[in-house]
Amino acid sequence: QVQLVESGGGLVQAGGSLRLSCATSGRTFSSLTMGWFRQAPGKEREFVAATTWSGDRTFYADSVKGRFTISRDNAKNTVYLQVNSLTPEDTAVYYCAATKSTYASATYCRSSSNYAYWGQGTQVTVSS
């Protein structure tokens, strides 16, 4: 089992930044592909970003490319999402997720069905 706990969300003005953290525990975190998803009110959960176990490859949704950065520290069993240049459209609950695999591709990482473990989410609210 893998337990995921997100933190770092909050209320921020448009143009601001936050760093979201996802602390993990349980089975070997460092071998798993990790991702971030988000869900806005009344909308489906959508892919945001993902990283391979080594961090050598990262994948982003087009809507956040150039503004968000995913990273991981395997020594701390933590994955991060730096979110910059926020807009009200980024308002959502952000979820950290872990696959059961070291495999990663752009298509694979974008599908929520490939993630076996999920955190409880952290709210990000961007005011205009």
Side-chain angles (χ1 to χ4, degrees):
Q1 276 293 81
V2 173
Q3 291 79 43
L4 309 175
V5 179
E6 302 96 333
S7 61
L11 174 63
V12 63
Q13 289 188 330
S17 299
L18 290 170
R19 189 174 81 155
L20 309 183
S21 298
C22 174
T24 73
S25 61
R27 62 170 286 183
T28 307
F29 158 81
S30 61
S31 65
L32 302 178
T33 294
M34 301 288 297
W36 286 91
F37 287 74
R38 67 185 181 185
Q39 187 166 18
K43 295 186 177 181
E44 293 187 355
R45 189 171 299 188
E46 64 174 358
F47 169 77
V48 174
T51 178
T52 55
W53 69 272
S54 65
D56 64 333
R57 284 189 296 156
T58 55
F59 308 92
Y60 296 94
D62 288 343
S63 59
V64 307
K65 202 171 292 184
R67 300 188 299 123
F68 291 11
T69 303
I70 188 171
S71 62
R72 66 193 296 167
D73 185 337
N74 288 338
K76 295 182 178 179
N77 291 337
T78 301
V79 63
Y80 304 97
L81 185 68
Q82 178 69 40
V83 296
N84 299 328
S85 302
L86 286 163
T87 74
E89 289 68 38
D90 295 315
T91 295
V93 177
Y94 283 70
Y95 297 92
C96 175
T99 68
K100 284 188 174 180
S101 172
T102 60
Y103 177 77
S105 71
T107 301
Y108 180 87
C109 291
R110 281 171 166 76
S111 175
S112 61
S113 63
N114 291 322
Y115 293 80
Y117 308 102
W118 293 83
Q120 81 291 347
T122 185
Q123 176 71 48
V124 172
T125 303
V126 184
S127 63
S128 56

